[in-house]
Amino acid sequence: MHESAQFHVDRLDWDERKAYVRRVDVDHYTQADRAVTLKPLDVFGRDAVAGGARLHGEVMVASLASIYKKLKFLTNENLGWGRIHLPEIELQTTAYWLAGEGLTGWRRTELDVALLGAGRAIQTVASVLLMVDPHDLGLVTQVRSPHEEAPTIYLYETVPGGVGLSERLFARHDDLIAGASALIGGCPCDAGCPACTGPRLEPDLDAKGLAARLLGELGAPEVLTAG
Ligand SMILES: [Zn+2]
């Protein structure tokens, strides 16, 4: 307990898999790479949708520091690497999620890329629809969620307890799917980019095509692309 008081978490950035944590009593930032896990605690609403189900409820987001580097405050000079032994940081908040129970015939590696790419696009569309900062919503994708026993995309609120965004996302599920599909279909890139499906982590896989296919199976209307 006493250890956690020495650190202040400035923000969680799932996209870069980092949490920005600050030592309260010293003049440098500590930048930690974290593994984030998400576990639903309570389901407030659930509806069947194309390809599966939409849900919203209470979740626990936990992140563990793996490695860190100390950055000097003003210069960003790297002061060196070292193991960090922070307590696990837990965030109890609310989330909207999409469980693809009806998805079949996917290769695991392709599904992983499709979920992340579609999730990134849904996250982008969500922040526009709700007119919030993109950092107000965190993204977690799971090829097989232990809770849903299905491929799942979670958008969680980064404010502890949530401020009602999740329920609004739940209500606008169809717009999110259609908007994400349009965002990806309308992007001029070839196979996925930071503006649509996010940074390409698997260069050999067509993140754009896979995410578009996934969103189609989740009920997105067909997107007409120019050229
Ligand atoms: Zn793109």
Side-chain angles (χ1 to χ4, degrees):
M1 283 295 282
H2 66 282
E3 270 189 87
S4 63
Q6 296 176 0
F7 290 86
H8 176 79
V9 179
D10 288 306
R11 70 189 170 99
L12 284 169
D13 189 336
W14 170 249
D15 304 339
E16 295 177 11
R17 294 165 195 260
K18 279 173 188 159
Y20 294 89
V21 297
R22 184 159 46 96
R23 278 284 291 270
V24 174
D25 58 342
V26 291
D27 68 348
H28 58 259
Y29 282 117
T30 302
Q31 193 175 14
D33 292 339
R34 292 178 167 274
V36 176
T37 59
L38 186 151
K39 182 176 67 178
L41 302 175
D42 199 3
V43 175
F44 300 153
R46 179 191 183 99
D47 268 330
V49 295
R54 63 175 168 151
L55 302 94
H56 73 104
E58 190 173 36
V59 298
M60 181 67 81
V61 182
S63 52
L64 269 175
S66 51
I67 51 175
Y68 86 130
K69 59 181 175 181
K70 291 182 289 185
L71 297 174
K72 200 170 177 183
F73 177 43
L74 288 173
T75 63
N76 273 4
E77 176 192 351
N78 191 343
L79 299 177
W81 291 85
R83 280 281 157 192
I84 192 168
H85 297 286
L86 276 179
E88 189 176 64
I89 292 178
E90 290 191 327
L91 168 69
Q92 193 168 339
T93 186
T94 52
Y96 147 80
W97 64 101
L98 166 57
E101 295 150 358
L103 302 174
T104 53
W106 282 81
R107 284 186 192 165
R108 188 184 172 91
T109 50
E110 294 185 341
L111 183 58
D112 193 21
V113 168
L115 288 167
L116 192 57
R120 275 290 302 237
I122 291 172
Q123 183 186 28
T124 301
V125 171
S127 65
V128 173
L129 280 180
L130 300 191
M131 293 186 286
V132 297
D133 188 284
H135 294 112
D136 291 344
L137 297 167
L139 169 68
V140 171
T141 60
Q142 295 173 351
V143 170
R144 185 177 169 82
S145 155
H147 185 266
E148 302 302 333
E149 299 187 335
T152 303
I153 297 170
Y154 294 95
L155 286 188
Y156 64 89
E157 296 189 52
T158 55
V159 174
V163 292
L165 305 182
S166 302
E167 190 169 4
R168 291 166 64 198
L169 293 173
F170 175 79
R172 302 200 66 176
H173 170 85
D174 291 349
D175 295 333
L176 291 172
I177 298 297
S181 178
L183 174 68
I184 292 171
C187 188
C189 71
D190 288 330
C193 73
C196 63
T197 54
R200 296 188 68 187
L201 304 175
E202 301 277 356
D204 296 337
L205 294 178
D206 174 10
K208 187 175 187 174
L210 292 168
R213 174 183 151 200
L214 176 65
L215 289 164
E217 292 185 21
L218 294 172
E222 200 167 334
V223 178
L224 300 173
T225 53

